[in-house]
Amino acid sequence: MATIKEIAKACHVSVATVSNILNDKPGASENTREMVLKVAREMDYMPNYMAKNLKTKNSRSIGVIAEDMTIFSIPDIIDGITEYCEEVDYQILLTNLRLYKKYNDTYYGRTDFYGIVQQEIKKLMAKQVEGIIYVTAHERVIRCIPEDLPIPAVMAYGYTRSGKVPSVVVDDEHGALDIVNHLIENGHEKIGVITGKADSLHMQARLIGYQKALLNHKILYDPELVKTGDWTRPAGYMYTDELLEKGVTAIFCMNDLMAGGVYDRLDELGLKIPQDISITGYDNRELSSYYKPPLTTITLPLHDIGYRAGEAMIGLLEKEIPEQKTEAVYQVKCQRLLRKSVRNISQGQKSSNGTSS
């Protein structure tokens, strides 16, 4: 790979002249400019961006720290960050902590990995990144980003409880409200729920959305219709019989995996979806479109969360977003995806299909 000195020697001009031309500065004749650029291409010249960044203190790069790239939510979030950064001519430097691979989901409630995060932040800062975006695998309160960090930071898919470090999260309450409204609009009033783990912020927000949908339609909330699952397919399978015994006409599963467990048990019982009972999920995992029938669900705005995190980062860098005294949270709405697993049981109505947002 050629250096500026080698290009200058080949063109019989000064190093300063070559530097000015390559940095698009005036002063050289058009003939000299064309000659230098032609020789630079032929000699495969590549600018030393690191050296240039040290001089200008402007790398146009953002450090992105992902908890684990194997978790389904993270790649789409990073794609959203990348798309926005490309639009504003920033590059990302990506670090994958592989926390789920190392510790499974036990690390969600721990803080002993914060030191690892802070070491990675230091490494990225040594590479002259202008800001840090931390991408979690599962929404929760996480304070791994130091409040005294000298560069801006944003958290995607998690809560910092900070006014200095904005949080970009999914609006789970609205998503659950939307999907339960759909069931009620199709005549269902006795709606069973299989939740995620009780300590999950996703679960808590989705349960509030479920309750608000019932309240808005003047339907009495019955805690006996709410079963606490754990996000796994066996949990959906296990609670299906209990909800059927309660006489539910529909089951709202707080993720698509548990909905798959409900499908499994209903198939064993010889019950048909949606003719005998309606089912909805949440997350729009790829497998949900292959269920028979395909599952009505909620699409998480993962790409949009990443895109919004990128916007927030550039807003901080350009001083368009001031530091707040209270928690700074940006919520991104979900989208309802209607398929074939819900039947309209209102008198004289047919099955409900289609797509809505």
Side-chain angles (χ1 to χ4, degrees), residues 111-346:
T111 61
D112 54 354
F113 67 91
Y114 285 12
I116 298 172
V117 176
Q118 287 157 20
Q119 280 298 114
E120 294 303 325
I121 290 175
K122 288 178 181 178
K123 290 178 185 177
L124 287 167
M125 288 178 62
K127 295 175 181 176
Q128 304 295 310
V129 298
E130 295 182 44
I132 299 288
I133 300 177
Y134 187 87
V135 184
T136 78
H138 179 77
E139 277 191 9
R140 63 199 192 280
V141 177
I142 175 171
R143 296 185 172 94
C144 61
I145 300 174
E147 280 287 312
D148 60 354
L149 193 68
I151 59 175
V154 174
M155 182 168 289
Y157 211 49
Y159 292 85
T160 62
R161 297 287 189 255
S162 166
K164 182 179 179 181
V165 183
S167 307
V168 183
V169 297
V170 60
D171 189 347
D172 270 316
E173 184 179 311
H174 176 270
L177 176 72
D178 193 28
I179 199 75
V180 178
N181 275 340
H182 174 64
L183 289 171
I184 296 171
E185 289 160 3
N186 279 276
H188 299 277
E189 295 190 2
K190 202 159 191 179
I191 302 168
V193 184
I194 304 176
T195 77
K197 292 182 178 180
D199 61 353
S200 164
L201 295 181
H202 294 288
M203 176 275 191
Q204 294 162 13
R206 292 172 194 180
L207 185 59
I208 291 172
Y210 166 77
Q211 292 169 329
K212 282 189 173 181
L214 297 181
L215 180 64
N216 291 344
H217 289 85
K218 297 181 171 57
I219 299 172
L220 185 65
Y221 171 70
D222 182 357
E224 292 294 315
L225 301 185
V226 179
K227 305 299 177 182
T228 304
D230 61 3
W231 305 116
T232 67
R233 194 167 185 132
Y237 181 96
M238 178 174 65
Y239 287 117
T240 300
D241 284 30
E242 292 184 30
L243 290 173
L244 290 175
E245 289 169 5
K246 296 290 183 182
V248 300
T249 62
I251 299 175
F252 164 42
C253 299
M254 287 195 182
N255 78 350
D256 296 341
L257 285 177
M258 293 189 296
V262 175
Y263 272 57
D264 294 340
R265 182 56 182 152
L266 293 174
D267 183 60
E268 290 179 354
L269 294 171
L271 296 175
K272 300 295 183 183
I273 306 168
Q275 292 88 336
D276 297 313
I277 188 165
S278 294
I279 310 294
T280 66
Y282 206 107
D283 293 346
N284 190 27
R285 299 286 290 271
E286 184 178 357
L287 55 84
S288 67
S289 65
Y290 296 108
Y291 290 166
K292 296 184 182 299
L295 180 68
T296 288
T297 187
I298 288 289
T299 298
L300 291 177
L302 299 172
H303 178 276
D304 293 345
I305 286 173
Y307 192 93
R308 186 70 184 88
E311 286 183 323
M313 172 54 65
I314 301 306
L316 290 171
L317 288 171
E318 296 182 353
K319 311 298 184 185
E320 294 175 356
I321 299 178
E323 183 177 330
Q324 301 180 28
K325 291 183 179 179
T326 56
E327 182 181 12
V329 178
Y330 302 100
Q331 290 189 319
V332 184
K333 281 187 166 46
C334 304
Q335 183 179 42
R336 187 199 299 177
L337 182 59
L338 308 185
R339 294 192 178 115
K340 303 285 187 178
S341 63
V342 173
R343 183 169 75 94
N344 193 323
I345 61 173
S346 300

Side-chain angles (χ1 to χ4, degrees), residues 96-110:
N96 180 21
L97 298 179
R98 302 183 67 250
L99 294 177
Y100 192 86
K101 281 284 188 180
K102 294 173 182 175
Y103 310 116
N104 209 303
D105 63 0
T106 59
Y107 82 89
Y108 289 166
R110 291 161 46 179

Side-chain angles (χ1 to χ4, degrees), residues 29-41:
S29 69
E30 191 60 32
N31 287 340
T32 301
R33 180 179 298 276
E34 290 178 1
M35 175 181 65
V36 168
L37 293 176
K38 180 174 181 291
V39 171
R41 286 194 297 270

